[in-house]
Amino acid sequence: MKEEFLHYIWKYRLYNKPLKTIENEHIKVISPGIHNHNAGPDFSDVRLRIGEALWAGNVEIHVNSSDWYRHGHQHDPAYDNVVLHVVFHHDDTSSDRRIPVLQLKEFFDSSLYVNYQQFINSKRWVPCINQIKEVPAHEISLWLERMLIERLEHKAELIHGFLRLGNNDWAEAFYHTLARSFGFSVNALPFEMMARSLPYRVIARHLDQPMQVEALVFGQAGLLSHDLKDPWPQALFTEYSFLRQKYHLVPIATHLWRFLRLRPVNFPTIRLAQFSALLCAGDGLVARVLESTTTDDLTEYFTGVSASAYWDNHYVFDRLTPGRKKQLGKDAISLLMINAMLPFLFVYGRSIDNDHLCNRALDFFSRLQGEKNAQIRKWKDAGIDVSNAFNTQALIWMKSDYCDKKRCLDCRIGNYLLKPGSGI
């Protein structure tokens, strides 16, 4: 037996008959309280009636009642207001017990725990992947909405970190958010490090000179040197050498960039060139995101943006390739909107208490096509709707933060399937 399972029974009131203490006093749960995931009693602000007395306080839950002493709670003032000790097995025979005890194993259906164990011990990609079709669509829809919000709140931590880094400058925060997203999954970290080493206020002074912006970006990425042979990278290196001294810049290490197993169009050199071009496409980065009223408006942000002419026949410096204009592809644009622009719109709306902007971001998620990757294909095979980015982003979060961690007890879908008679 695990304490987290007992928390689940208590939190959702999954007992199957009237509760009684070990002293045979009736317990009526008026409110199970607030689940505490930090130090202190497991549930706070609990409301109970035990016998004829009304109680308000905390509840502590253990597998065995003797755990109270084993954990030293009798010496901790934080537990002085515990009004009920909920346990699976009462094994404490001491005579100085002063807190009522509920032995919970007598009051819930044992099949709940059997179902829970099957999930926890499952070796499947997702514990409930074979049963998820049994869950009503509205239950899944409600949970996916919660998952998307959680994913956006997680992204908010990163964006607020960028905001602090830029002294509460939203343009600076968006620049960092966009840079990290341009690295996609493989080169997200070096892109972020490059942006940290090159403040947007420096870039902003050169937006009317695309060559200087590209020199700054590639130079701070650690990809320019005097050994380069082609005229364009030589010119970039010369320009960067001057700007580096002017702004006292320190580039990141070259070895951080990953090229292996990437399609050439996804090489970091191409993404850095496209990023440079996008920065020069127009100032007012934040305003352009906030003023977009349709997904087409957001897409126009990237329309016509392509790497500078040198990259038409190069994927890396000094290596000629057949001619091809290096514009951002449809899938890349979609990912940038999903991973940068819409989270930023949502976080900005939250920060200024503007529900309209938050709801617009959520609406845009539902209008964008869902991502296509191996994980999403598995969800599709399980019968889940993956047609829009709202659902795919929610599923990505659910998989990483719930399914992979076997948090079935915290999951609405898991809760539904754990109930007796679910057939798992």
Side-chain angles (χ1 to χ4, degrees):
M1 179 55 63
K2 295 186 177 182
E3 279 188 20
E4 65 179 9
F5 180 76
L6 300 177
H7 293 176
Y8 166 70
I9 297 294
W10 176 261
K11 182 177 181 178
Y12 295 105
R13 309 190 197 201
L14 297 177
Y15 24 85
N16 57 3
K17 55 184 175 180
L19 302 178
K20 293 182 180 180
T21 69
I22 60 170
E23 303 292 347
N24 211 35
E25 288 188 288
H26 288 280
I27 303 171
K28 181 179 180 181
V29 180
I30 300 169
S31 170
I34 300 168
H35 198 177
N36 173 33
H37 297 281
N38 301 309
D42 295 312
F43 287 84
S44 61
D45 197 22
V46 177
R47 300 288 188 273
L48 303 171
R49 182 185 294 276
I50 303 177
E52 297 300 320
L54 284 171
W55 295 89
N58 303 325
V59 161
E60 178 67 4
I61 297 178
H62 289 121
V63 174
N64 299 306
S65 52
S66 58
D67 292 340
W68 179 276
Y69 299 99
R70 190 165 61 87
H71 295 170
H73 295 333
Q74 71 276 20
H75 304 303
D76 189 342
Y79 292 83
D80 288 349
N81 198 33
V82 171
V83 296
L84 182 66
H85 189 196
V86 178
V87 302
F88 178 72
H89 175 61
H90 178 56
D91 64 343
D92 170 30
T93 58
S94 61
S95 58
D96 62 344
R97 176 172 40 80
R98 60 181 179 80
I99 300 171
V101 175
L102 165 64
Q103 184 170 256
L104 199 56
K105 68 179 179 181
E106 305 171 21
F107 300 98
F108 67 85
D109 191 325
S110 61
S111 65
L112 273 171
Y113 191 64
V114 172
N115 291 348
Y116 168 66
Q117 285 290 90
Q118 288 181 13
F119 275 167
I120 295 304
N121 297 326
S122 173
K123 303 299 183 184
R124 301 187 188 106
W125 177 72
V126 166
C128 68
I129 198 68
N130 291 344
Q131 294 83 29
I132 200 167
K133 290 180 181 179
E134 301 170 17
V135 182
H138 72 274
E139 292 282 346
I140 294 176
S141 179
L142 288 171
W143 184 242
L144 292 184
E145 182 174 347
R146 161 83 177 271
M147 291 296 92
L148 179 60
I149 297 297
E150 284 194 16
R151 182 165 175 80
L152 290 173
E153 288 173 344
H154 175 73
K155 287 179 178 288
E157 296 176 11
L158 185 66
I159 294 173
H160 281 297
F162 293 150
L163 191 62
R164 290 189 294 272
L165 185 69
N167 296 316
N168 294 316
D169 183 338
W170 282 102
E172 189 80 30
F174 181 68
Y175 161 70
H176 286 278
T177 304
L178 192 60
R180 182 178 174 85
S181 297
F182 252 90
F184 297 92
S185 58
V186 176
N187 284 299
L189 182 58
F191 245 106
E192 180 183 337
M193 293 172 66
M194 181 278 296
R196 283 175 179 261
S197 75
L198 180 62
Y200 182 67
R201 64 178 181 275
V202 173
I203 291 286
R205 296 175 184 176
H206 300 272
L207 291 178
D208 59 342
Q209 297 291 329
M211 187 263 196
Q212 292 180 347
V213 171
E214 187 167 335
L216 284 165
V217 168
F218 273 95
Q220 285 307 101
L223 296 173
L224 295 179
S225 74
H226 66 274
D227 296 325
L228 295 169
K229 302 294 191 296
D230 286 349
W232 181 252
Q234 285 181 347
L236 291 179
F237 177 71
T238 300
E239 192 68 38
Y240 171 67
S241 298
F242 169 75
L243 295 171
R244 177 182 179 180
Q245 294 297 323
K246 179 179 180 180
Y247 295 114
H248 307 289
L249 299 173
V250 178
I252 69 172
T254 307
H255 73 266
L256 293 170
W257 297 100
R258 294 175 60 186
F259 288 79
L260 190 64
R261 297 189 182 91
L262 288 178
R263 295 171 57 222
V265 73
N266 292 325
F267 278 180
T269 43
I270 300 302
R271 295 308 186 197
L272 287 164
Q274 292 168 336
F275 180 65
S276 302
L278 182 63
L279 292 175
C280 296
D283 203 357
L285 297 177
V286 175
R288 292 174 67 183
V289 175
L290 301 183
E291 292 169 2
S292 298
T293 57
T294 67
T295 54
D296 287 341
D297 291 341
L298 287 176
T299 303
E300 286 181 8
Y301 185 88
F302 302 99
T303 300
V305 172
S306 63
S308 55
Y310 174 80
W311 299 103
D312 287 354
N313 49 18
H314 292 84
Y315 287 105
V316 294
F317 289 125
D318 293 347
R319 192 178 304 169
L320 196 65
T321 59
R324 177 183 176 185
K325 201 168 184 65
K326 305 303 190 304
Q327 290 183 309
L328 282 167
K330 182 179 178 181
D331 289 343
I333 291 174
S334 180
L335 287 173
L336 289 169
M337 291 169 66
I338 289 169
N339 293 316
M341 303 184 81
L342 298 190
F344 186 86
L345 180 62
F346 181 86
V347 172
Y348 185 84
R350 275 279 182 93
S351 298
I352 64 171
D353 294 323
N354 188 325
D355 290 339
H356 180 68
L357 290 180
C358 295
N359 291 334
R360 186 191 300 170
L362 296 177
D363 178 62
F364 285 174
F365 271 111
S366 69
R367 295 177 185 278
L368 287 176
Q369 187 176 18
E371 302 96 298
K372 297 177 182 178
N373 55 48
Q375 181 185 144
I376 298 304
R377 284 193 291 273
K378 289 182 179 180
W379 284 117
K380 184 178 181 180
D381 291 342
I384 305 298
D385 176 16
V386 296
S387 61
N388 58 65
F390 190 109
N391 284 0
T392 55
Q393 284 289 292
L395 290 165
I396 289 169
W397 180 255
M398 184 173 79
K399 175 70 167 62
S400 65
D401 207 55
Y402 286 79
C403 305
D404 289 352
K405 298 176 182 178
K406 299 293 182 70
R407 292 179 60 192
C408 306
L409 297 179
D410 298 321
C411 173
R412 187 184 187 104
I413 294 171
N415 275 207
Y416 183 90
L417 291 170
L418 282 169
K419 294 174 184 176
S422 65
I424 70 169

